[in-house]
Amino acid sequence: MLLRRRRQMLEARARQAAFSGYVGADRRAPVSEAFGMLFRKAFPDHWSFLLGEIALYSFMVLVLTGSYLTLFFDPSMAESPYQGPYAPLRGLLVTGAYASTLHISFDVRGGLLIRQMHHWAALVFVAAAAVHMLRIFFTGAFRRPRELNWVIGVTLFMLALFEGFCGYSLPDDLLSGTGLRTASTIVMSIPVVGTYLNFFVWGGAFPGHAVIRRLYIAHVLFAPGLLIALIAAHLVLVVYLKHTQWPERGRTNRNAVGQPMFPQFTAKSAGLNLMVFGLIAVLSGIAQINPVWNFGPYRADQVSTNAQPDWYVGFLEGALRLMPPWENAVGGHTLMWNVFLPAVVLPGLLFLVLYLYPFFERWVSADLFEHHLCDRPRNRPVRTGLGVAGVVFYAVLLAAGGNDVAAWSFRISVDALTWIYRVAVIAGPVITFLVAKRVCLALQAHDRRLLEEGKETGTVRQSPEGGFGEGNEPLDAAHRYRMLVRDIPAPLERPAAGAPRRYRLRAALSTWFYRDRVEMPATAEQRLQVSGRTLGPLPRAEEE
């Protein structure tokens, strides 16, 4: 009885202290208003919106495991004989970075598990971010007013690639050292300033004496700081601008329908967080990754067998292998086009296209309205085709990064396989663009047929005349709403003959983007209803 009264007294004091603290904070800051708005925010419950959360929670695993590894890792490049517990390497000269990685793996309690969790979380983080960006692209969630959030997302993805490369290079084993040698060659291929940049980054001629320490600082300080700041800005904009939503009954361009943040969304998100943590832990416990003791310490005159980078930078390796050996000597300088074009110009162009695409599509469509309803990819065949072509282009380059392994495994010529990839990297995106566009139009035609005839019931009936036919039933209201409520811009009218060239180009691109479509059967009343649901808030100012 005495213990129960004491517990009740402590609970009462805790409640009173919490209430007093809340009142004190609320008098000095808009706490009630902020929490009230946040708790009432509607979150969509479709599975595709969880991809960004998976990226966020895997990043949390990265921060936690990386903080633990920082306590034991030594980024020194000073060499000394290895005297640790791994017998096959004893007596070899190794750097402090490699020795501390082995120390974490074999001496620190739980160190190998944390190391592998860190590596697996990095792969999951980049993969989830990439798939999340694809979802944003294919559904048109980058359109006004979310262009800035798209730019932040692309920057996050670029930083994630850089952060992953820095962490991949830190152990200073033979595999990561091979990647650093490739990076050194890429830096030196930059005309005029490449050799100076290489000397500065590596602290002298390759392999230098400072690159691991500098990569370590970038990996644990600069890149994570920028990632955390950009993730925070990204989430603030998501809350401020509201989520996009799929076209369903009751959902329009002027509302946000979903589950409140507390308690429904909070409970689901917490469960997803635990699932991500658990899955990464299970993968780390049963699937070995990056066994640096098998590769050995880095030596500048050696290359690891079947050396392959992590998948997210594998496209650079593939581009380097497919590029013909083009070089020129100008004014005493060797221009290494075979390295500079695929490893510097190509990724720069890829990210430039990603940055500019929302503004390009808005310019082509002359669309000044806000959009909060997601597009079904089939309703934007050109955009969907471009996205599929980009994925195929990346996939071909990624496959080409392992052409030597594939050639050895399938007993075919490396040269023949390289030429196959060279043809595929050009023809593949074009073919898949055309196929994806036709598939989207076919799916639109299928939707039209369903609206006109209804869905098949599987029941066969015989008419009084003796003929057989399959019975159909009309679609329910939810399916009809999803198919009819779509927002596809009409092609711009062709300007007069004397119009400026940019207007004629704009009209031609608009026709190419939005000419091919399958109109849905709808009455005048239904079209008016659709226009009301897709109409968004008016723009604040006129734009070109």
Side-chain angles (χ1 to χ4, degrees):
M1 182 65 70
L2 183 61
L3 292 176
R4 182 183 302 175
R5 289 180 179 177
R6 184 174 180 81
R7 185 173 67 248
Q8 291 175 351
M9 184 183 301
L10 291 175
E11 291 177 355
R13 290 179 178 176
R15 285 194 298 268
Q16 182 63 33
F19 178 76
S20 301
Y22 177 81
V23 171
D26 189 49
R27 289 174 177 174
R28 295 163 177 82
V31 177
S32 296
E33 293 81 356
F35 277 98
M37 294 176 58
L38 188 61
F39 286 163
R40 291 194 303 270
K41 176 176 168 54
F43 283 84
D45 54 0
H46 195 269
W47 65 265
S48 61
F49 292 93
L50 300 179
L51 297 170
E53 294 183 42
I54 294 175
L56 174 63
Y57 296 141
S58 58
F59 180 74
M60 291 172 58
V61 179
L62 278 172
V63 172
L64 292 175
T65 55
S67 300
Y68 182 80
L69 295 176
T70 305
L71 302 176
F72 305 99
F73 183 75
D74 176 18
S76 171
M77 295 187 70
E79 292 185 328
S80 61
Y82 176 71
Q83 301 296 335
Y86 190 66
L89 295 178
R90 285 178 186 163
L92 289 180
L93 284 178
V94 299
T95 60
Y98 186 72
S100 63
T101 305
L102 295 178
H103 173 69
I104 293 172
S105 303
F106 296 120
D107 293 332
V108 177
R109 185 178 297 275
L112 181 57
L113 177 64
I114 299 299
R115 257 198 69 228
Q116 299 205 147
M117 285 185 66
H118 192 70
H119 202 132
W120 274 114
L123 298 181
V124 173
F125 172 62
V126 179
V131 179
H132 177 62
M133 287 182 59
L134 289 177
R135 200 276 299 177
I136 297 294
F137 179 84
F138 284 116
T139 63
F142 55 79
R143 294 173 296 173
R144 186 172 184 171
R146 296 175 178 84
E147 300 97 333
L148 177 59
N149 227 10
W150 170 263
V151 170
I152 292 176
V154 174
T155 307
L156 278 170
F157 186 69
M158 184 168 57
L159 277 173
L161 298 185
F162 173 73
E163 175 79 339
F165 173 76
C166 290
Y168 168 87
S169 306
L170 289 182
D172 200 29
D173 60 290
L174 192 55
L175 182 61
S176 64
T178 303
L180 278 176
R181 178 163 52 188
T182 303
S184 174
T185 305
I186 293 172
V187 172
M188 285 195 296
S189 71
I190 301 175
V192 182
V193 299
T195 53
Y196 301 100
L197 286 175
N198 182 79
F199 193 88
F200 170 75
V201 173
W202 269 262
F206 183 84
H209 302 284
V211 64
I212 299 296
R213 183 173 65 254
R214 291 173 178 176
L215 288 176
Y216 178 72
I217 294 174
H219 183 69
V220 303
L221 181 61
F222 295 136
L226 289 174
L227 283 171
I228 292 173
L230 289 176
I231 288 174
H234 188 72
L235 295 178
V236 168
L237 285 177
V238 167
V239 172
Y240 176 72
L241 298 173
K242 309 295 188 295
H243 279 81
T244 54
Q245 54 190 353
W246 291 102
E248 299 286 351
R249 297 186 68 182
R251 300 177 181 179
T252 70
N253 250 341
R254 298 186 176 186
N255 66 5
V257 179
Q259 297 178 337
M261 179 176 180
F262 185 84
Q264 285 88 346
F265 176 77
T266 303
K268 288 185 176 181
S269 187
L272 179 63
N273 189 4
L274 296 176
M275 290 173 62
V276 171
F277 268 74
L279 177 61
I280 292 175
V282 170
L283 277 174
S284 306
I286 65 177
Q288 181 175 271
I289 189 170
N290 199 25
V292 295
W293 51 90
N294 287 341
F295 307 136
Y298 178 66
R299 293 290 180 268
D301 60 339
Q302 298 177 8
V303 177
S304 178
T305 304
N306 295 339
Q308 303 294 318
D310 282 335
W311 69 268
Y312 45 85
V313 291
F315 76 102
L316 287 179
E317 179 77 14
L320 286 169
R321 297 189 182 195
L322 296 186
M323 186 69 185
W326 295 344
E327 293 183 0
N328 295 108
V330 178
H333 295 277
T334 301
L335 301 179
M336 303 168 59
W337 303 115
N338 56 329
V339 178
F340 179 68
L341 291 179
V344 179
V345 175
L346 176 63
L349 289 177
L350 289 178
F351 278 101
L352 181 63
V353 169
L354 289 175
Y355 276 119
L356 297 182
Y357 185 84
F359 309 98
F360 169 75
E361 186 174 297
R362 189 181 67 181
W363 177 75
V364 168
S365 62
D367 187 359
L368 303 179
F369 293 98
E370 294 185 3
H371 297 275
H372 303 284
L373 289 177
C374 292
D375 288 326
R376 299 177 77 197
R378 67 184 65 183
N379 293 331
R380 297 290 186 118
V382 173
R383 181 206 292 159
T384 301
L386 291 175
V388 172
V391 172
V392 170
F393 180 76
Y394 181 91
V396 172
L397 291 181
L398 181 61
N403 62 348
D404 55 337
V405 178
W408 182 86
S409 301
F410 295 101
R411 301 295 191 271
I412 59 179
S413 168
V414 175
D415 292 336
L417 190 60
T418 299
W419 275 105
I420 291 174
Y421 284 135
R422 284 175 177 172
V423 174
V425 78
I426 297 174
V430 176
I431 294 173
T432 52
F433 168 81
L434 297 175
V435 171
K437 182 179 177 181
R438 298 311 305 175
V439 169
C440 289
L441 293 174
L443 290 173
Q444 289 187 44
H446 176 68
D447 288 346
R448 179 183 177 88
R449 185 177 65 81
L450 288 177
L451 289 170
E452 291 176 338
E453 303 175 4
K455 63 180 180 180
E456 299 174 352
T457 61
T459 303
V460 178
R461 296 186 178 90
Q462 184 176 12
S463 66
E465 294 79 14
F468 291 91
E470 186 175 11
N472 292 341
E473 62 180 15
L475 293 177
D476 57 78
H479 282 81
R480 294 182 65 84
Y481 189 98
R482 187 182 306 122
M483 295 177 183
L484 288 175
V485 177
R486 59 180 193 169
D487 185 13
I488 307 177
L492 299 178
E493 295 182 1
R494 179 176 299 180
R501 184 175 301 175
R502 64 189 183 99
Y503 289 115
R504 286 180 286 159
L505 175 63
R506 184 184 192 181
L509 288 172
S510 178
T511 301
W512 179 66
F513 258 80
Y514 305 114
R515 175 188 57 199
D516 297 328
R517 69 177 74 193
V518 177
E519 297 295 342
M520 296 294 116
T523 63
E525 175 64 23
Q526 288 175 331
R527 295 185 187 280
L528 183 61
Q529 294 283 346
V530 170
S531 299
R533 284 160 174 76
T534 56
L535 184 64
L538 293 175
R540 293 187 178 91
E542 292 294 326
E543 298 182 20
E544 178 60 21

